[in-house]
Amino acid sequence: MSRQQERARRTRSVIIRAAAVEFAKRGYGAASINSILEHSNATKGAMYFHFASKDELARAVLEEGLEHYRTIVSRWVDAPELDPFERLHGMIADLGEALHNDDVIAAEFRLVTEPEFADEALLRGSYIWGRAGYQLAVEAQERGLFRPGVDIRRFVEAVGSSLAGQRYLADLTSPDTDVKSKFEACLEVPLEAMASEEWLARWWERGWPQTSD
């Protein structure tokens, strides 16, 4: 990659990050191009070289958000030393932290609730981690970690709906809300009703495993 190409790549990345902060804070409609330019230290010409419109810039933020989601999901789906519920917990806890600390993921969540992008919501981050959650639930069922007769689709839907609700509440209340602990409860409550007695006994005794970043 030439120096000019590398400089262009970095400029594009900085603009996306500044846009993510603006979209996460104000939403799509109220987001200001001037504010994005100010925080990225990019010129208007540089921005329009990379993005023809605010809509195109928002879609670039959405795509960047997908990559962040994929990184989180792959970390936990590919963790064979943990059981499926432990991996699901790790994934959900990381999502909670990311929604609080990662501007790109926070912006992705905010954008897919906007009318301009509502039709794409099912193709975005929630689809990636929802599919991974279902995969882990299938594995848990195959290993006998659920109670007999549990409908794992209902389990995954209950967890997903609770996560979405907690995120909305966090937006409505305080930016300092501990999203991670709220997200953990969204998994723990259904597990207490649906996990096998043997798994629950081990979990109540040991808790969630400590994992390093």
Side-chain angles (χ1 to χ4, degrees):
M1 183 182 294
S2 70
R3 256 188 209 177
Q4 185 175 5
Q5 289 174 319
E6 175 62 17
R7 185 163 55 248
R9 185 194 66 79
R10 289 181 180 176
T11 299
R12 185 179 190 278
S13 179
V14 169
I15 293 171
I16 288 174
R17 294 304 177 99
V21 173
E22 181 74 2
F23 290 135
K25 182 179 179 181
R26 302 183 187 279
Y28 178 76
S32 164
I33 292 296
N34 287 335
S35 179
I36 292 170
L37 292 173
E38 179 182 349
H39 288 94
S40 65
N41 291 319
T43 65
K44 187 170 288 189
M47 196 200 82
Y48 284 111
F49 172 79
H50 291 286
F51 309 102
S53 63
K54 186 166 77 167
D55 178 85
E56 190 173 309
L57 178 54
R59 292 180 190 282
V61 172
L62 288 172
E63 290 303 315
E64 183 77 9
L66 288 184
E67 291 305 312
H68 289 216
Y69 276 114
R70 290 189 183 105
T71 298
I72 291 172
V73 166
S74 64
R75 176 189 179 193
W76 294 104
V77 170
D78 303 325
E81 71 278 7
L82 302 174
D83 76 37
F85 289 153
E86 290 169 339
R87 281 179 275 160
L88 185 55
H89 167 264
M91 183 174 72
I92 286 173
D94 274 7
L95 287 170
E97 286 192 344
L99 282 166
H100 188 69
N101 300 318
D102 185 326
D103 292 321
V104 173
I105 285 184
E108 191 271 354
F109 181 89
R110 182 73 180 268
L111 286 170
V112 297
T113 66
E114 302 270 349
E116 292 84 355
F117 306 99
D119 291 342
E120 302 181 32
L122 296 178
L123 304 176
R124 295 296 170 180
S126 59
Y127 173 75
I128 290 176
W129 58 260
R131 183 175 59 180
Y134 181 75
Q135 177 183 335
L136 291 171
V138 169
E139 183 181 342
Q141 188 175 56
E142 291 172 347
R143 293 173 58 172
L145 303 185
F146 280 109
R147 296 182 184 185
V150 163
D151 183 338
I152 61 172
R153 289 190 181 277
R154 290 188 66 192
F155 168 78
V156 174
E157 288 171 0
V159 173
S161 298
S162 297
L163 292 174
Q166 286 293 349
R167 178 54 184 159
Y168 284 120
L169 286 174
D171 281 345
L172 291 172
T173 54
S174 168
D176 297 325
T177 298
D178 184 356
V179 180
K180 178 181 176 181
S181 66
K182 299 289 187 182
F183 270 29
E184 288 176 313
C186 293
L187 172 64
E188 291 169 354
V189 172
L191 281 177
E192 288 173 355
M194 298 181 175
S196 69
E197 294 294 339
E198 294 79 8
W199 186 88
L200 285 171
R202 291 195 300 271
W203 176 59
W204 285 327
E205 179 182 355
R206 298 180 303 186
W208 297 116
Q210 298 296 313
T211 56
S212 57
D213 294 334

